[in-house]
Amino acid sequence: MPETQTPATTRPLRLGVAGPVGVGKSSLIATVCRALADELEIGVITNDIYTDEDARFLRSAGVLDPERIRAVETGACPHTAIRDDVTANLLAAEDLAADFAPLDLVVIESGGDNLTATFSPALVDAQIFVLDVAGGGDVARKGGPGIGRADLLVVNKTDLAPHVGVDVERMVADASTARDGRAVVALSRTDPASVAALRGWLLGVLAEYRAGTHVAHDPGPMAPHFHADEDGGILHSHADGDTAHEHHGQHAHDEQHEPARAPGRG
Amino acid sequence: MTTPQRAPAAPAPATVAMLLADARLPGGGHAHSAGLEPALLGGLPAAQVPAWMVGRATTVSLVEAGTAVVAARLLGAPAGPPPGAVDAVVRAWSARTPSGALRDAARLLGRGYLRVARTLWPHHPAVAALSGAGGRGVRDAPPRAVVLGAVAAATGLPPADVVRLTVYDDAQTAASALLKLEPSDPLTAARWVLDACAAAEPHVDRVAACRTPEDVPASGAPQTEGWAEAHALENEKRLFRA
Ligand SMILES: Nc1nc2c(ncn2[C@@H]2O[C@H](COP(=O)(O)OP(=O)(O)OP(=O)(O)O)[C@@H](O)[C@H]2O)c(=O)[nH]1
Ligand SMILES: [Mg+2]
């Protein structure tokens, strides 16, 4: 495990925000900053593909001292930067923590990539995966590591639901099923009750983290997928040490499935 | 020469070299282009990239390589590094790396490498000797070449391999960035990596023989420095840190 400069419970909580392009990750971070500005000292790191678009958006939102918003370069591989080689993000997080000590929270926005991009627990203590209603009501059912196992799934832009013909309650129910009951928040920045729910979730995680009872989970690089065989098949993921099960009908994963692409370097 | 007693289960130095040269090692290198993005933004025609790679392999890469070789010798000294040794090497390197943007980028890489070194060889005195030499602010961290020297001292990597590793890593970093910036056949870029390494080969012995900070080659590439400075001010179209 990479070393950290300060003991785990005194360094700021590192929170990842991932999800496909345009679902509202930067806006959600701005909302969080606004909702918690009076209580928490916050820093933000962005992982743009073309560097500082997100950082500039957040700076111009005026919710945080612009100095507290830093962009890291990702070498055109935003998923590598949050998963396979988190060095640049870790160093930026350490610098923010040192420059603005004591910070409570460092939020890291992933470069909008694909459905499979999730943060490594070597980088973040907890992560939010964001979807929006405009992506369609059935996205939540499609699963994937972020949708299935991020600490929180946000179904964003619920104010748009009537316009895109999505039943939010249904989408949230589908998501909850896909997540075995893990937390889901239906969010719109124009709906104060939903913002309060997000805020409450975050403060809860922070309290657990400070108490030393929060455990960082890895949502894993691959979507869980179904193995059909004569015994009825098994549903499994490749994360969490679940690799030792028997594959009755021997096959190469890559060939027979069309799972979400495992994040590689690219 | 720099072969310390290694624990029985230690890997061969050549294996360590392979690990360090492998882009999959998480040290932060994937966000760097070894000067290629600055060069292309500065107007270098893509067709001249192979010549530019040869140029780097025989100039700035040798400064980095010599710095690493000297750092390894001083940090690996049997009686421990002489007082001020790290600072002296860093000063020699800084004087040969006029661009502040490049020095910052190299220190950032140094911090990433230091994480690797502290995790993999936490107890070796050569690695421990770098504590206090940075790791906090970007500007205080030792540059990557110095950290590589510490790793070389910790693992018994011979000086000639340190030179070849440095040249190879620089060329391969540029080649892999090229695939993002000017997409082409990846094997063409691999050819250019080999050509750049071959061009550096006549210099390997000389650089591997460096013993003191004064010995570090002073072969600069001023246009590279200028491009790096301009690139550091560029916020719109940057994929890579440097
Ligand atoms: N209607 C509505 N629009 C929203 C909401 N949140 C964000 N948006 C809009 O969605 C668009 C994308 O928002 P961003 O916050 O930039 O999304 P992002 O996920 O950070 O985008 P990338 O970083 O490019 O992947 C913008 O036009 C936002 O104004 C919301 O709650 N309701
Ligand atoms: Mg964004």
Side-chain angles (χ1 to χ4, degrees):
Chain A
M1 199 77 319
E3 76 182 84
T4 44
Q5 299 286 330
T6 44
T9 44
T10 60
R11 72 155 168 75
L13 175 77
R14 295 197 293 249
L15 174 71
V17 179
V21 176
V23 291
K25 298 178 293 298
S26 301
S27 306
L28 180 148
I29 292 170
T31 299
V32 163
C33 291
R34 219 173 277 124
L36 291 163
D38 295 337
E39 291 147 88
L40 299 183
E41 295 293 326
I42 303 175
V44 174
I45 298 169
T46 64
N47 282 251
D48 272 315
I49 301 177
Y50 285 99
T51 33
D52 71 346
E53 184 73 29
D54 284 327
R56 275 188 295 151
F57 167 85
L58 284 166
R59 287 184 192 119
S60 67
V63 290
L64 208 58
D65 171 5
E67 292 282 304
R68 293 180 175 218
I69 301 164
R70 306 236 167 117
V72 299
E73 293 84 359
T74 60
C77 291
H79 51 271
T80 299
I82 62 166
R83 207 169 170 95
D84 297 348
D85 183 356
V86 300
T87 309
N89 275 298
L90 271 180
L91 297 181
E94 285 176 7
D95 285 348
L96 270 176
D99 294 348
F100 299 100
L103 276 189
D104 300 297
L105 174 67
V106 173
V107 187
I108 305 173
E109 176 178 350
S110 76
D113 205 7
N114 56 31
L115 271 175
T116 65
T118 59
F119 288 85
S120 163
L123 177 59
V124 300
D125 304 297
Q127 56 192 299
I128 299 176
F129 199 84
V130 187
L131 293 177
D132 68 0
V133 296
D138 51 351
V139 183
R141 272 200 309 276
K142 291 183 179 166
I147 292 172
R149 295 183 298 280
D151 299 84
L152 174 69
L153 179 72
V154 165
V155 175
N156 200 16
K157 309 187 195 175
T158 54
D159 55 294
L160 296 181
H163 308 291
V164 293
V166 165
D167 177 346
V168 173
E169 259 169 51
R170 179 75 201 279
M171 192 170 172
V172 168
D174 285 347
S176 299
T177 308
R179 291 170 57 70
D180 294 329
R182 291 182 185 85
V184 181
V185 167
L187 182 73
S188 166
R189 63 184 171 201
T190 55
D191 168 15
S194 71
V195 174
L198 174 65
R199 179 178 171 283
W201 175 85
L202 210 164
L203 289 175
V205 171
L206 185 60
E208 277 182 28
Y209 170 73
R210 285 182 173 149
T213 54
H214 174 80
V215 180
H217 287 290
D218 186 354
M222 274 179 78
H225 52 280
F226 187 73
H227 289 237
D229 62 30
E230 51 282 32
D231 306 329
I234 47 174
L235 181 70
H236 77 96
S237 80
H238 287 250
D240 311 325
D242 181 29
T243 48
H245 66 269
E246 291 268 314
H247 284 187
H248 296 293
Q250 282 295 323
H251 64 267
H253 284 180
D254 310 356
E255 284 164 18
Q256 299 209 351
H257 298 279
E258 193 73 41
R261 189 169 70 85
R265 279 178 185 251
Chain B
M1 181 159 295
T2 44
T3 309
Q5 305 90 327
R6 275 178 278 120
T15 305
V16 175
M18 288 190 271
L19 180 84
L20 295 173
D22 191 331
R24 291 167 294 189
L25 180 72
H30 77 96
H32 292 249
S33 74
L36 181 67
E37 185 173 70
L40 294 174
L41 274 179
L44 178 80
Q48 283 178 27
V49 167
W52 169 87
M53 284 169 71
V54 166
R56 284 184 73 83
T58 51
T59 56
V60 287
S61 288
L62 300 181
V63 176
E64 296 288 312
T67 302
V69 165
V70 172
R73 284 226 161 82
L74 296 175
L75 288 166
V86 174
D87 290 345
V89 188
V90 172
R91 269 200 309 277
W93 169 82
S94 299
R96 289 157 177 76
T97 310
S99 155
L102 283 182
R103 290 198 305 274
D104 282 352
R107 289 192 169 108
L108 199 59
L109 281 166
R111 286 172 75 188
Y113 243 45
L114 199 53
R115 297 185 75 89
V116 172
R118 283 182 178 151
T119 306
L120 298 182
W121 300 281
H123 305 301
H124 197 283
V127 174
L130 293 182
S131 313
R136 197 81 210 179
V138 170
R139 274 159 222 288
D140 308 322
R144 185 178 54 168
V146 171
V147 183
L148 173 60
V151 170
T155 60
L157 202 57
D161 288 352
V162 171
V163 177
R164 292 191 176 103
L165 172 64
T166 303
V167 172
Y168 170 81
D169 186 60
D170 187 87
Q172 189 62 274
T173 299
S176 112
L178 184 68
L179 302 182
K180 305 283 165 50
L181 297 168
E182 290 282 340
S184 54
D185 181 351
L187 280 177
T188 304
R191 174 79 260 159
W192 297 346
V193 171
L194 289 177
D195 291 346
C197 292
E201 202 53 34
H203 304 274
V204 169
D205 288 345
R206 168 173 67 88
V207 179
C210 292
R211 312 197 76 85
T212 68
E214 295 72 43
D215 291 343
V216 175
S219 41
Q223 190 158 36
T224 287
E225 307 269 343
W227 283 334
E229 288 296 312
H231 179 260
L233 300 173
E234 172 67 65
N235 280 327
E236 302 280 316
K237 289 178 276 182
R238 210 167 65 196
L239 292 177
F240 294 93
R241 178 68 171 74

